[in-house]
């Protein structure tokens, strides 16, 4: 078919904003360390607040999705970087690397620091799907090692994954929960204790160098 002026004009139009556009825009704002405001986001997208809320369900659901969109690849990279390990030591290293990356993310730290109540509600309770997704991701890591015959967790897969997530939360959010300094090394030691990994493997740093626990 021949190309008409109208078809060319339509092909040159910018894609219309939608829920995924909102997620991408909110993610850019979050990663820049700025507060995600629904009015500002709606204005950036050129839609009404009512339309934006209909797309994403509200600020909290949107924030949960934004943070998960950053968290999931962070955990995946941590697991890939720990491939040199096997069994329990691999999980200690992967979770330790994941925690270090999380604690070192300025945008995440700023969110937790400036909006602690909302952060803990969205990330550590059933107020959003974030925690259940993280538990499921930890379950996958556990099953990989179990199926290879390299790990025998002390509890069921789900319960072990849930416990590891809760322990991770305790150390990652230590400053908000208990006024203590977040310490990824202590987290590695706790994960090692749960998975019955010798303490000499619990102090492995992100660069792969083994340190005494």
């Amino acid at each position: 078919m021949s190309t008409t002026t109208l078809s060319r004009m339509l092909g040159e139009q910018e894609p219309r904003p939608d829920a995924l556009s909102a997620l991408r825009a909110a993610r850019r704002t979050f990663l820049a360390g700025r507060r995600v405001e629904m009015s500002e986001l709606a204005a950036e997208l050129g839609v009404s607040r009512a339309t934006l809320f209909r797309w994403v369900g509200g600020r909290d659901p949107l924030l949960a999705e934004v943070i998960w969109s950053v968290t999931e690849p962070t955990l995946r990279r941590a697991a890939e970087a720990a491939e040199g390990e096997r069994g329990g030591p691999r999980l200690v290293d992967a979770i330790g690397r994941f925690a270090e990356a999380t604690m070192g993310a300025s945008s995440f730290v700023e969110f937790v620091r400036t909006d602690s109540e909302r952060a803990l509600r969205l990330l550590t309770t059933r107020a959003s799907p974030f925690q259940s997704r993280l538990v499921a991701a930890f379950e996958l890591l556990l099953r990989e090692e179990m199926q290879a015959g390299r790990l025998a967790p002390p509890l069921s897969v789900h319960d072990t994954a849930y416990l590891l997530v809760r322990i991770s939360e305790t150390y990652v959010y230590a400053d908000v929960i208990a006024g203590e300094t977040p310490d990824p090394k202590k987290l590695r030691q706790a994960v090692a204790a749960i998975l019955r990994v010798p303490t000499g493997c619990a102090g492995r740093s992100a660069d792969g160098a083994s340190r005494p626990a």
Side-chain angles (χ1 to χ4, degrees):
M1 296 177 62
S2 61
T3 301
T4 65
T5 301
L6 175 60
S7 66
R8 286 197 301 272
M9 291 177 66
L10 290 173
E12 293 169 359
Q13 284 184 334
E14 291 290 328
R16 291 185 178 182
D18 54 18
L20 289 178
S21 304
L23 175 64
R24 288 191 289 267
R27 190 175 187 272
R28 288 194 299 270
T29 299
F30 180 84
L31 290 176
R34 304 196 308 272
R35 181 182 174 88
V36 176
E37 296 286 1
M38 299 298 280
S39 295
E40 295 177 4
L41 184 59
E44 178 182 344
L45 295 170
V47 300
S48 68
R49 278 174 52 91
T51 296
L52 180 58
F53 271 82
R54 186 172 69 252
W55 284 348
V56 302
R59 183 166 181 262
D60 282 359
L62 176 59
L63 277 172
E65 293 296 345
V66 166
I67 298 172
W68 179 251
S69 76
V70 177
T71 298
E72 192 277 332
T74 300
L75 178 58
R76 185 173 64 249
R77 288 192 295 269
E80 290 171 352
E83 281 296 336
E85 302 288 353
R86 292 291 183 269
R90 180 198 174 210
L91 294 177
V92 172
D93 194 23
I95 294 173
R97 287 173 182 270
F98 172 62
E100 288 163 1
T102 300
M103 294 175 192
S106 58
S107 56
F108 183 84
V109 172
E110 181 67 11
F111 171 60
V112 174
R113 184 184 69 81
T114 60
D115 205 350
S116 302
E117 183 178 343
R118 174 175 277 106
L120 291 182
R121 184 175 72 253
L122 294 179
L123 304 179
T124 67
T125 75
R126 296 177 61 184
S128 88
F130 180 89
Q131 188 190 71
S132 62
R133 290 176 181 175
L134 190 57
V135 171
F138 275 33
E139 283 188 42
L140 286 177
L141 293 177
L142 287 165
R143 289 187 188 281
E144 286 178 7
E145 299 305 318
M146 292 174 61
Q147 291 171 357
R150 297 188 293 254
L151 182 72
L155 303 171
S156 70
V157 176
H158 175 76
D159 288 346
T160 302
Y162 178 73
L163 180 57
L164 292 175
V165 167
R166 294 298 282 174
I167 289 293
S168 299
E169 293 169 352
T170 298
Y171 287 102
V172 171
Y173 311 124
D175 52 345
V176 176
I177 295 174
E180 298 186 0
T181 302
D183 189 339
K185 181 179 178 180
K186 289 182 179 178
L187 171 58
R188 288 173 179 267
Q189 293 171 333
V191 173
I194 292 170
L195 298 179
R196 301 167 182 162
V197 175
T199 55
C201 299
R204 190 171 296 277
S205 63
D207 61 7
S210 182
R211 297 179 299 184

